[in-house]
Amino acid sequence: MTALRAFEAAARLGGFAAAATELGVTPGAVTAHVKALEDRLGAALFERTAKGVRLTALGARVLPDFTAAFDALGLAVHHLRAEAAPQVVHIATLPAIAQLWLSPRLPGLRAQMPEVAISITAMEAPPNLKRAPYDLSLFYGDHGQQVARDHIFPVCAPALAARITTAEDLHHLPCLIDSAWSRDWASWAAVALPGQDFTPRGPVFSLYALAVEEAANGAGVLMAHGALVAGHLARGTLMAPLPQRVALPQALRLWSARPLRPGQPAERVARALQAGTGDQIP
Amino acid sequence: MTALRAFEAAARLGGFAAAATELGVTPGAVTAHVKALEDRLGAALFERTAKGVRLTALGARVLPDFTAAFDALGLAVHHLRAEAAPQVVHIATLPAIAQLWLSPRLPGLRAQMPEVAISITAMEAPPNLKRAPYDLSLFYGDHGQQVARDHIFPVCAPALAARITTAEDLHHLPCLIDSAWSRDWASWAAVALPGQDFTPRGPVFSLYALAVEEAANGAGVLMAHGALVAGHLARGTLMAPLPQRVALPQALRLWSARPLRPGQPAERVARALQAGTGDQIP
DNA sequence: CGGCATGGCTTAATTTTTCTGACCCTAGGT
DNA sequence: ACCTAGGGTCAGAAAAATTAAGCCATGCCG
């Protein structure tokens, strides 16, 4: 049973490592499961090459059946959870979005629909909504309904901002770097400092929200996502000393596994988030 | 995942013990899984009563989704096994039938279709063919194609048979009893010894084939299933000293999960078994 | 009406299975 | 020639199943 899940995930995602991530186990476990399955069948499901695995003809023939079956199972789990707690809306999103964009909007949502509970699960990558039982998924991406068109630009504490007048000033200041969005600095520099070789120097953070706090504490200049620092900018705890803003290639988008029926809690939450409820941060 | 299987089986079969049997685990494991599932949901799926469990409204609402999904998964496994080993036919049957009815026919089948391998799995109860990957199921029952109309009657070794002339003689002879078919003696006595209180006395066997061997060794009189002792009767190692034969309420029947396509190995084996191939036991 | 057996679920301690984490190995890309 | 990405392998740790007892209503029988 677990072996079947491992096979299906590995076949669909094209690798044992990716399957292990989706299943929340280590690649070694996937290896063992697939091998056990192949042993019991007496036939190979994957061809092992040095740079990964490739499905055999047999594996490709039976994959659609398994994918369909596990999709049906995922849907059943979703249905079960929805029936068991009809007034709970489960949202999956990035940790940074959860803390910096969603969290400030929650009081407004609660006031607007007090009977609905909102459960937020932070994760690094968008979940497969056919499998994981979330009602809404909020990520930078290409699918779904656009919630915000986001821009990046440098921000820092007011005291530091006073020392910045041109983009060139950044060469000599500590630049806070988020490990997941490390390319943001390069994207912005390509527009604001064309032709120059800009290499940001400064501490690296694995939590974007922590980098934002450090920027507010005056630790350096952060390449901000506009949507995620709106609160700090409004409060004046962060400032944007330079005018150059670069649009992110992917907008902040919200999507759901299935079409939402109007009036359903998940649909009401989705509508409220798209309408910008609570955008006026205190 | 395993918890979902446990819930589905328990809900469909109406009890944790039955679910444990189908899943091949102990009732304790099913209890633990269902409880874990209910804890995570924050809602009860079963009502516990002193004489078993009953589905809650929530459980009943979501059961069909899970049953359908697991059926699809079972079918996918069947498909996978069929694709991986197309020339292997998997048969599920009772241990007694496997040894006493099927086994003597295998040489004939092998001669008739040498390229087909036949795999026999013995089990006490018919499997759920939507879940367990067997091609054919051969049991006493009401479903499927009739293979043999079976009768029960006393048999014993020739030396003992010489001492039996009427049914009443059995009162004073050891009667071999199969634990799974212990009611056979009563069924036969109701016809052969009407109005008399016949209680068979003698050793109890959990393996019918062993009881047959013991009968051939002269250990006593066995209530035989005609189809299962045909070989011994033909060889003369067992004799039927009394003329009374009682038809079993259920015939020996063969069935498959899905309709068999002509020419398919499973279909050819099914046809051969129904045609009585190899009935002439050496 | 009470004692006792019964069927079915639960619980706790033990054993078996599975997963992890750190390593190795191979082949392609730089 | 090195580095990286992806699988494979192994001993030890975590999780699951088993075993065996316990519980609690029901039903049967004296």
Side-chain angles (χ1 to χ4, degrees):
Chain A
M1 167 60 66
T2 324
L4 298 174
R5 273 187 78 186
F7 158 68
E8 193 275 339
R12 175 165 42 83
L13 301 172
F16 289 7
T21 305
E22 173 167 301
L23 298 176
V25 297
T26 53
V30 175
T31 300
H33 277 141
V34 171
K35 187 136 68 94
L37 188 58
E38 290 178 324
D39 283 354
R40 284 214 300 138
L41 284 174
L45 293 166
F46 293 96
E47 289 168 27
R48 273 75 167 174
T49 69
K51 50 178 296 193
V53 291
R54 192 172 54 249
L55 270 181
T56 60
L58 168 63
R61 236 175 298 145
V62 299
L63 174 60
D65 287 1
F66 283 100
T67 299
F70 280 116
D71 280 351
L73 201 52
L75 220 63
V77 171
H78 197 302
H79 184 194
L80 170 59
R81 196 155 104 164
E83 290 273 349
Q87 297 298 331
V88 181
V89 177
H90 295 266
I91 306 180
T93 189
L94 287 174
I97 298 176
Q99 208 171 337
L100 299 168
W101 192 91
L102 214 41
S103 165
R105 285 164 173 75
L106 286 180
L109 287 174
R110 258 197 301 282
Q112 198 176 329
M113 37 190 101
E115 76 287 2
V116 175
I118 296 179
S119 155
I120 298 171
T121 306
M123 54 190 63
E124 296 302 325
N128 181 347
L129 289 189
K130 281 183 178 163
R131 301 293 170 88
Y134 299 105
D135 300 300
L136 299 171
S137 184
L138 181 65
F139 284 84
Y140 290 103
D142 300 314
H143 307 101
Q145 192 74 32
Q146 179 169 314
V147 166
R149 193 87 195 75
D150 211 354
H151 297 259
I152 54 175
F153 49 87
V155 299
C156 59
L160 195 57
R163 295 165 48 194
I164 302 174
T165 50
T166 73
E168 275 77 8
D169 295 335
L170 296 178
H171 281 294
H172 316 294
L173 289 170
C175 295
L176 311 186
I177 300 167
D178 181 86
S179 54
W181 286 334
S182 54
R183 293 177 316 166
D184 281 359
W185 273 108
S187 308
W188 183 84
V191 172
L193 295 163
Q196 297 187 36
D197 182 24
F198 181 77
T199 332
R201 298 272 166 172
V204 176
F205 298 88
S206 64
L207 276 176
Y208 190 73
L210 191 57
V212 170
E213 283 306 313
E214 278 296 277
N217 290 339
V221 184
L222 173 70
M223 184 50 58
H225 283 224
L228 304 186
V229 296
H232 277 279
L233 291 176
R235 285 195 298 277
T237 46
L238 281 177
M239 298 186 70
L242 297 171
Q244 298 93 332
R245 301 191 161 211
V246 174
L248 281 169
Q250 299 182 310
L252 192 58
R253 288 170 179 276
L254 186 68
W255 70 97
S256 62
R258 287 173 298 175
L260 298 169
R261 285 194 305 277
Q264 213 181 354
E267 187 272 342
R268 295 171 60 200
V269 170
R271 194 147 35 85
L273 289 176
Q274 276 158 10
T277 299
D279 270 9
Q280 55 291 353
I281 308 297
Chain B
M1 166 61 64
T2 325
L4 298 174
R5 271 187 80 186
F7 158 69
E8 193 275 341
R12 175 165 42 83
L13 301 172
F16 287 8
T21 305
E22 173 167 304
L23 299 175
V25 299
T26 54
V30 175
T31 300
H33 278 141
V34 172
K35 187 136 70 91
L37 189 58
E38 290 178 324
D39 284 355
R40 284 213 301 138
L41 283 174
L45 292 167
F46 292 96
E47 291 168 24
R48 272 73 168 177
T49 69
K51 50 177 298 190
V53 291
R54 191 172 56 249
L55 269 182
T56 59
L58 168 63
R61 237 175 299 145
V62 300
L63 174 60
D65 287 2
F66 283 100
T67 299
F70 280 116
D71 280 352
L73 200 52
L75 221 63
V77 171
H78 197 301
H79 183 192
L80 169 59
R81 198 155 103 165
E83 290 272 348
Q87 297 298 330
V88 180
V89 177
H90 294 266
I91 305 180
T93 189
L94 286 173
I97 298 175
Q99 209 171 337
L100 299 169
W101 193 90
L102 213 41
S103 166
R105 285 165 173 75
L106 286 180
L109 287 174
R110 259 198 300 281
Q112 198 175 330
M113 37 190 101
E115 76 287 2
V116 174
I118 296 180
S119 155
I120 297 172
T121 306
M123 54 190 63
E124 296 301 326
N128 180 347
L129 288 190
K130 282 184 178 164
R131 301 292 169 88
Y134 299 106
D135 299 300
L136 299 171
S137 183
L138 180 66
F139 284 84
Y140 290 103
D142 300 316
H143 308 100
Q145 192 73 31
Q146 179 170 314
V147 166
R149 193 88 193 78
D150 211 356
H151 297 258
I152 54 176
F153 49 88
V155 299
C156 59
L160 195 56
R163 295 165 48 195
I164 302 174
T165 49
T166 72
E168 274 76 9
D169 294 335
L170 296 179
H171 283 292
H172 315 293
L173 289 170
C175 295
L176 311 186
I177 300 167
D178 181 85
S179 55
W181 289 333
S182 55
R183 293 177 316 169
D184 281 358
W185 273 109
S187 308
W188 182 83
V191 172
L193 295 164
Q196 296 187 36
D197 182 25
F198 181 77
T199 332
R201 299 270 167 173
V204 176
F205 298 87
S206 64
L207 276 175
Y208 189 74
L210 191 58
V212 171
E213 284 307 312
E214 278 295 278
N217 291 339
V221 184
L222 174 70
M223 184 50 57
H225 283 224
L228 305 186
V229 296
H232 277 279
L233 291 177
R235 284 193 298 276
T237 46
L238 282 177
M239 299 187 70
L242 297 171
Q244 298 94 331
R245 301 192 163 210
V246 174
L248 281 170
Q250 301 180 310
L252 193 58
R253 288 171 179 276
L254 187 68
W255 70 98
S256 61
R258 287 173 298 176
L260 298 168
R261 286 195 305 277
Q264 214 180 354
E267 188 272 344
R268 295 170 60 198
V269 171
R271 195 148 35 84
L273 289 176
Q274 277 159 10
T277 299
D279 271 10
Q280 56 291 353
I281 308 294

